[in-house]
Amino acid sequence: GVASAASDVYKRQKVDKAKKYSNETERINITNLTADFQGEHDIYQVSFNSGDWDCQCFFFTTRGICSHTMALQRILEKVMNN
C-alpha cells in the first residue's frame, strides 16, 4: 500500500545517503574500536582507545606494536586521524 511505498522511498534515500557518506571518509574519526583478529596462532583482541593501540598478543606486550595493530592501521587509515 501507500505506507509500504513511502517506506521503500525512505529506505532508498537512506541507502543513497549511506553510499554518499561512505565516499566522504573525512566525516568519520574513529576514537575507540575493539576487534577480534584471527591471527595465525590464535584470535587476539585488538583495541584502539583515544589514540592508543593495544593487542593481547605476546609480541605487542613486549614491543608495543604488532602485525595485528599494524594491519588494522593499514585497513583503517582512511578514517583514522581525520
Side-chain angles (χ1 to χ4, degrees):
V2 174
S4 178
S7 177
D8 288 346
V9 169
Y10 183 71
K11 281 183 186 177
R12 248 190 324 272
Q13 289 172 340
K14 293 301 175 187
V15 169
D16 289 344
K17 190 180 236 183
K19 288 177 184 177
K20 176 181 179 264
Y21 283 169
S22 69
N23 290 316
E24 298 172 352
T25 57
E26 69 277 0
R27 291 179 173 270
I28 302 161
N29 183 32
I30 294 176
T31 55
N32 295 292
L33 170 80
T34 302
D36 291 331
F37 195 111
Q38 177 66 60
E40 291 183 3
H41 307 289
D42 207 346
I43 298 173
Y44 303 102
Q45 188 174 72
V46 180
S47 62
F48 178 77
N49 188 4
S50 300
D52 295 321
W53 285 96
D54 189 39
C55 183
Q56 293 178 329
C57 76
F58 178 76
F59 195 88
F60 188 92
T61 61
T62 59
R63 305 279 170 78
I65 195 166
C66 67
S67 56
H68 314 112
T69 57
M70 289 188 285
L72 277 175
Q73 288 170 359
R74 291 175 61 98
I75 292 166
L76 298 170
E77 68 184 332
K78 288 184 179 179
V79 292
M80 302 293 283
N81 302 313
N82 277 340

